[in-house]
mmCIF file of all heavy atoms in Angstrom:
data_model
loop_
_atom_site.group_PDB
_atom_site.id
_atom_site.type_symbol
_atom_site.label_atom_id
_atom_site.label_comp_id
_atom_site.label_asym_id
_atom_site.label_seq_id
_atom_site.Cartn_x
_atom_site.Cartn_y
_atom_site.Cartn_z
ATOM 1 N N VAL A 34 -108.325 2.234 -69.128
ATOM 2 C CA VAL A 34 -108.110 2.361 -67.687
ATOM 3 C C VAL A 34 -109.334 2.841 -66.901
ATOM 4 O O VAL A 34 -109.876 3.909 -67.327
ATOM 5 C CB VAL A 34 -107.001 3.301 -67.428
ATOM 6 C CG1 VAL A 34 -106.595 3.321 -65.962
ATOM 7 C CG2 VAL A 34 -105.680 2.812 -68.172
ATOM 8 N N PHE A 35 -109.784 2.076 -65.925
ATOM 9 C CA PHE A 35 -110.794 2.581 -64.951
ATOM 10 C C PHE A 35 -110.061 3.176 -63.759
ATOM 11 O O PHE A 35 -109.193 2.561 -63.233
ATOM 12 C CB PHE A 35 -111.628 1.372 -64.525
ATOM 13 C CG PHE A 35 -112.424 0.718 -65.450
ATOM 14 C CD1 PHE A 35 -113.093 -0.579 -65.198
ATOM 15 C CD2 PHE A 35 -112.555 1.210 -66.815
ATOM 16 C CE1 PHE A 35 -113.763 -1.264 -66.115
ATOM 17 C CE2 PHE A 35 -113.417 0.466 -67.717
ATOM 18 C CZ PHE A 35 -113.964 -0.674 -67.441
ATOM 19 N N VAL A 36 -110.331 4.516 -63.602
ATOM 20 C CA VAL A 36 -109.705 5.195 -62.499
ATOM 21 C C VAL A 36 -110.624 5.901 -61.635
ATOM 22 O O VAL A 36 -111.701 6.251 -62.088
ATOM 23 C CB VAL A 36 -108.516 6.076 -63.082
ATOM 24 C CG1 VAL A 36 -109.261 7.236 -63.787
ATOM 25 C CG2 VAL A 36 -107.746 6.728 -62.024
ATOM 26 N N GLY A 37 -110.337 5.925 -60.343
ATOM 27 C CA GLY A 37 -111.294 6.622 -59.389
ATOM 28 C C GLY A 37 -110.810 6.347 -57.961
ATOM 29 O O GLY A 37 -109.974 5.429 -57.698
ATOM 30 N N PRO A 38 -111.444 7.026 -56.997
ATOM 31 C CA PRO A 38 -111.138 6.706 -55.526
ATOM 32 C C PRO A 38 -111.640 5.355 -55.093
ATOM 33 O O PRO A 38 -112.447 4.726 -55.869
ATOM 34 C CB PRO A 38 -111.759 7.892 -54.825
ATOM 35 C CG PRO A 38 -112.948 8.269 -55.762
ATOM 36 C CD PRO A 38 -112.474 8.039 -57.094
ATOM 37 N N SER A 39 -111.245 4.889 -53.929
ATOM 38 C CA SER A 39 -111.701 3.709 -53.424
ATOM 39 C C SER A 39 -113.264 3.653 -53.218
ATOM 40 O O SER A 39 -113.784 4.725 -52.830
ATOM 41 C CB SER A 39 -111.122 3.386 -52.039
ATOM 42 O OG SER A 39 -109.563 3.227 -52.121
ATOM 43 N N CYS A 41 -115.465 3.447 -55.716
ATOM 44 C CA CYS A 41 -116.158 4.210 -56.799
ATOM 45 C C CYS A 41 -116.744 3.127 -57.798
ATOM 46 O O CYS A 41 -117.648 3.538 -58.703
ATOM 47 C CB CYS A 41 -115.178 5.032 -57.644
ATOM 48 S SG CYS A 41 -114.025 4.187 -58.653
ATOM 49 N N LYS A 43 -114.935 0.659 -59.649
ATOM 50 C CA LYS A 43 -114.023 0.374 -60.785
ATOM 51 C C LYS A 43 -113.713 -1.238 -60.758
ATOM 52 O O LYS A 43 -113.747 -1.806 -61.673
ATOM 53 C CB LYS A 43 -112.820 1.244 -60.838
ATOM 54 C CG LYS A 43 -111.953 1.280 -59.535
ATOM 55 C CD LYS A 43 -110.873 2.293 -59.675
ATOM 56 C CE LYS A 43 -109.924 2.254 -58.441
ATOM 57 N NZ LYS A 43 -110.657 2.466 -57.200
ATOM 58 N N SER A 44 -113.352 -1.658 -59.431
ATOM 59 C CA SER A 44 -112.989 -3.082 -59.413
ATOM 60 C C SER A 44 -114.203 -3.940 -59.499
ATOM 61 O O SER A 44 -114.128 -5.062 -60.044
ATOM 62 C CB SER A 44 -112.264 -3.328 -58.110
ATOM 63 O OG SER A 44 -111.002 -2.801 -58.014
ATOM 64 N N MET A 158 -106.746 -6.279 -65.403
ATOM 65 C CA MET A 158 -105.670 -6.026 -64.409
ATOM 66 C C MET A 158 -106.236 -5.178 -63.306
ATOM 67 O O MET A 158 -106.729 -4.108 -63.553
ATOM 68 C CB MET A 158 -104.355 -5.375 -64.976
ATOM 69 C CG MET A 158 -103.746 -6.214 -66.081
ATOM 70 S SD MET A 158 -102.240 -5.491 -66.581
ATOM 71 C CE MET A 158 -101.704 -6.754 -67.754
ATOM 72 N N ASP A 159 -106.295 -5.784 -62.134
ATOM 73 C CA ASP A 159 -106.883 -5.058 -60.876
ATOM 74 C C ASP A 159 -105.723 -4.510 -60.016
ATOM 75 O O ASP A 159 -105.219 -5.217 -59.194
ATOM 76 C CB ASP A 159 -107.779 -6.034 -60.229
ATOM 77 C CG ASP A 159 -108.658 -5.275 -59.035
ATOM 78 O OD1 ASP A 159 -108.506 -3.985 -59.076
ATOM 79 O OD2 ASP A 159 -109.297 -5.920 -58.302
ATOM 80 N N GLU A 160 -105.379 -3.229 -60.177
ATOM 81 C CA GLU A 160 -104.263 -2.596 -59.387
ATOM 82 C C GLU A 160 -103.070 -3.448 -59.210
ATOM 83 O O GLU A 160 -102.652 -3.700 -58.050
ATOM 84 C CB GLU A 160 -104.811 -2.159 -58.022
ATOM 85 C CG GLU A 160 -106.153 -1.245 -58.194
ATOM 86 C CD GLU A 160 -106.356 -0.357 -56.906
ATOM 87 O OE1 GLU A 160 -105.326 0.104 -56.427
ATOM 88 O OE2 GLU A 160 -107.531 -0.146 -56.614
ATOM 89 N N PRO A 161 -102.464 -3.948 -60.364
ATOM 90 C CA PRO A 161 -101.336 -4.869 -60.288
ATOM 91 C C PRO A 161 -100.094 -4.288 -59.726
ATOM 92 O O PRO A 161 -99.229 -5.058 -59.245
ATOM 93 C CB PRO A 161 -101.145 -5.340 -61.699
ATOM 94 C CG PRO A 161 -101.708 -4.134 -62.533
ATOM 95 C CD PRO A 161 -102.828 -3.584 -61.780
ATOM 96 N N LEU A 162 -99.973 -2.948 -59.732
ATOM 97 C CA LEU A 162 -98.652 -2.305 -59.368
ATOM 98 C C LEU A 162 -98.754 -1.727 -57.889
ATOM 99 O O LEU A 162 -97.723 -1.187 -57.391
ATOM 100 C CB LEU A 162 -98.299 -1.320 -60.289
ATOM 101 C CG LEU A 162 -98.201 -1.708 -61.824
ATOM 102 C CD1 LEU A 162 -97.681 -0.584 -62.650
ATOM 103 C CD2 LEU A 162 -97.386 -2.966 -61.954
ATOM 104 N N SER A 163 -99.885 -1.802 -57.133
ATOM 105 C CA SER A 163 -100.047 -1.099 -55.899
ATOM 106 C C SER A 163 -99.177 -1.610 -54.824
ATOM 107 O O SER A 163 -98.832 -0.840 -53.822
ATOM 108 C CB SER A 163 -101.482 -1.030 -55.497
ATOM 109 O OG SER A 163 -102.015 -2.388 -55.309
ATOM 110 N N TYR A 190 -107.678 -2.055 -67.327
ATOM 111 C CA TYR A 190 -106.655 -1.879 -66.206
ATOM 112 C C TYR A 190 -107.407 -0.992 -65.191
ATOM 113 O O TYR A 190 -107.908 0.052 -65.449
ATOM 114 C CB TYR A 190 -105.446 -1.179 -66.713
ATOM 115 C CG TYR A 190 -104.303 -1.088 -65.750
ATOM 116 C CD1 TYR A 190 -103.208 -1.899 -65.804
ATOM 117 C CD2 TYR A 190 -104.174 -0.151 -64.779
ATOM 118 C CE1 TYR A 190 -102.094 -1.780 -64.948
ATOM 119 C CE2 TYR A 190 -103.198 0.105 -63.947
ATOM 120 C CZ TYR A 190 -102.088 -0.781 -64.104
ATOM 121 O OH TYR A 190 -101.079 -0.683 -63.202
ATOM 122 N N VAL A 191 -107.392 -1.528 -63.872
ATOM 123 C CA VAL A 191 -108.085 -0.694 -62.767
ATOM 124 C C VAL A 191 -107.001 -0.130 -62.053
ATOM 125 O O VAL A 191 -106.048 -0.794 -61.580
ATOM 126 C CB VAL A 191 -108.945 -1.611 -62.061
ATOM 127 C CG1 VAL A 191 -109.216 -1.014 -60.627
ATOM 128 C CG2 VAL A 191 -110.244 -1.902 -62.708
ATOM 129 N N THR A 192 -107.058 1.146 -61.646
ATOM 130 C CA THR A 192 -106.161 1.812 -60.622
ATOM 131 C C THR A 192 -106.803 2.967 -59.948
ATOM 132 O O THR A 192 -107.733 3.577 -60.475
ATOM 133 C CB THR A 192 -104.852 2.265 -61.403
ATOM 134 O OG1 THR A 192 -103.891 2.842 -60.458
ATOM 135 C CG2 THR A 192 -105.187 3.271 -62.560
ATOM 136 N N HIS A 193 -106.236 3.299 -58.869
ATOM 137 C CA HIS A 193 -106.516 4.600 -58.099
ATOM 138 C C HIS A 193 -105.584 5.732 -58.461
ATOM 139 O O HIS A 193 -105.810 6.794 -57.992
ATOM 140 C CB HIS A 193 -106.867 4.469 -56.681
ATOM 141 C CG HIS A 193 -105.576 4.038 -55.940
ATOM 142 N ND1 HIS A 193 -105.178 2.662 -55.890
ATOM 143 C CD2 HIS A 193 -104.590 4.706 -55.452
ATOM 144 C CE1 HIS A 193 -104.007 2.651 -55.173
ATOM 145 N NE2 HIS A 193 -103.692 3.898 -54.903
ATOM 146 N N ASP A 194 -104.540 5.341 -59.189
ATOM 147 C CA ASP A 194 -103.355 6.226 -59.368
ATOM 148 C C ASP A 194 -103.534 6.994 -60.684
ATOM 149 O O ASP A 194 -103.490 6.326 -61.745
ATOM 150 C CB ASP A 194 -102.119 5.400 -59.436
ATOM 151 C CG ASP A 194 -100.841 6.289 -59.470
ATOM 152 O OD1 ASP A 194 -100.822 7.355 -60.028
ATOM 153 O OD2 ASP A 194 -99.810 5.778 -58.994
ATOM 154 N N GLN A 195 -103.770 8.285 -60.621
ATOM 155 C CA GLN A 195 -104.107 8.998 -61.885
ATOM 156 C C GLN A 195 -102.863 9.072 -62.822
ATOM 157 O O GLN A 195 -102.891 9.180 -63.991
ATOM 158 C CB GLN A 195 -104.455 10.384 -61.593
ATOM 159 C CG GLN A 195 -103.679 11.325 -60.709
ATOM 160 C CD GLN A 195 -102.734 12.246 -61.522
ATOM 161 O OE1 GLN A 195 -102.956 12.305 -62.717
ATOM 162 N NE2 GLN A 195 -101.748 12.635 -60.913
ATOM 163 N N THR A 196 -101.623 8.797 -62.222
ATOM 164 C CA THR A 196 -100.358 8.810 -63.058
ATOM 165 C C THR A 196 -100.378 7.591 -63.968
ATOM 166 O O THR A 196 -100.043 7.648 -65.191
ATOM 167 C CB THR A 196 -99.162 8.972 -62.213
ATOM 168 O OG1 THR A 196 -99.102 10.072 -61.393
ATOM 169 C CG2 THR A 196 -97.915 8.947 -63.009
ATOM 170 N N GLU A 197 -100.730 6.450 -63.354
ATOM 171 C CA GLU A 197 -100.825 5.182 -64.115
ATOM 172 C C GLU A 197 -101.877 5.349 -65.241
ATOM 173 O O GLU A 197 -101.597 4.961 -66.340
ATOM 174 C CB GLU A 197 -101.224 4.102 -63.252
ATOM 175 C CG GLU A 197 -100.057 3.580 -62.390
ATOM 176 C CD GLU A 197 -100.466 2.399 -61.518
ATOM 177 O OE1 GLU A 197 -101.498 1.788 -61.832
ATOM 178 O OE2 GLU A 197 -99.754 2.124 -60.526
ATOM 179 N N ALA A 198 -102.997 5.970 -64.925
ATOM 180 C CA ALA A 198 -104.046 6.167 -65.960
ATOM 181 C C ALA A 198 -103.582 7.035 -67.089
ATOM 182 O O ALA A 198 -103.824 6.711 -68.288
ATOM 183 C CB ALA A 198 -105.217 6.834 -65.291
ATOM 184 N N MET A 199 -102.950 8.201 -66.756
ATOM 185 C CA MET A 199 -102.470 9.113 -67.768
ATOM 186 C C MET A 199 -101.419 8.545 -68.695
ATOM 187 O O MET A 199 -101.362 8.790 -69.914
ATOM 188 C CB MET A 199 -102.077 10.389 -67.183
ATOM 189 C CG MET A 199 -103.057 11.255 -66.516
ATOM 190 S SD MET A 199 -104.254 11.953 -67.702
ATOM 191 C CE MET A 199 -103.071 13.167 -68.469
ATOM 192 N N MET A 201 -100.640 5.220 -69.198
ATOM 193 C CA MET A 201 -100.806 3.895 -69.881
ATOM 194 C C MET A 201 -102.081 3.915 -70.786
ATOM 195 O O MET A 201 -101.898 3.107 -71.755
ATOM 196 C CB MET A 201 -100.894 2.911 -68.731
ATOM 197 C CG MET A 201 -99.647 2.783 -67.827
ATOM 198 S SD MET A 201 -99.902 1.675 -66.464
ATOM 199 C CE MET A 201 -99.793 0.000 -67.266
ATOM 200 N N ILE A 205 -109.411 6.773 -70.826
ATOM 201 C CA ILE A 205 -109.586 6.673 -69.366
ATOM 202 C C ILE A 205 -111.105 6.727 -69.103
ATOM 203 O O ILE A 205 -111.835 7.646 -69.693
ATOM 204 C CB ILE A 205 -108.799 7.792 -68.786
ATOM 205 C CG1 ILE A 205 -107.287 7.695 -68.951
ATOM 206 C CG2 ILE A 205 -109.103 7.767 -67.219
ATOM 207 C CD1 ILE A 205 -106.562 8.928 -68.489
ATOM 208 N N VAL A 206 -111.399 5.841 -68.130
ATOM 209 C CA VAL A 206 -112.819 5.965 -67.610
ATOM 210 C C VAL A 206 -112.692 6.474 -66.184
ATOM 211 O O VAL A 206 -112.293 5.740 -65.311
ATOM 212 C CB VAL A 206 -113.605 4.570 -67.753
ATOM 213 C CG1 VAL A 206 -115.042 4.736 -67.139
ATOM 214 C CG2 VAL A 206 -113.562 4.071 -69.158
ATOM 215 N N PHE A 234 -109.355 15.220 -59.758
ATOM 216 C CA PHE A 234 -108.671 13.902 -59.591
ATOM 217 C C PHE A 234 -107.613 13.623 -60.592
ATOM 218 O O PHE A 234 -106.602 13.005 -60.210
ATOM 219 C CB PHE A 234 -109.872 12.910 -59.797
ATOM 220 C CG PHE A 234 -109.485 11.425 -59.341
ATOM 221 C CD1 PHE A 234 -109.573 11.175 -57.931
ATOM 222 C CD2 PHE A 234 -108.855 10.542 -60.228
ATOM 223 C CE1 PHE A 234 -109.145 9.917 -57.529
ATOM 224 C CE2 PHE A 234 -108.562 9.349 -59.725
ATOM 225 C CZ PHE A 234 -108.642 8.856 -58.351
#
Side-chain angles (χ1 to χ4, degrees):
V34 179
F35 296 168
V36 67
S39 297
C41 71
K43 57 189 186 296
S44 290
M158 299 188 178
D159 190 3
E160 304 204 35
L162 308 185
S163 59
Y190 188 102
V191 161
T192 182
H193 62 272
D194 186 330
Q195 57 95 15
T196 302
E197 286 182 18
M199 290 290 290
M201 298 172 74
I205 299 173
V206 180
F234 195 82

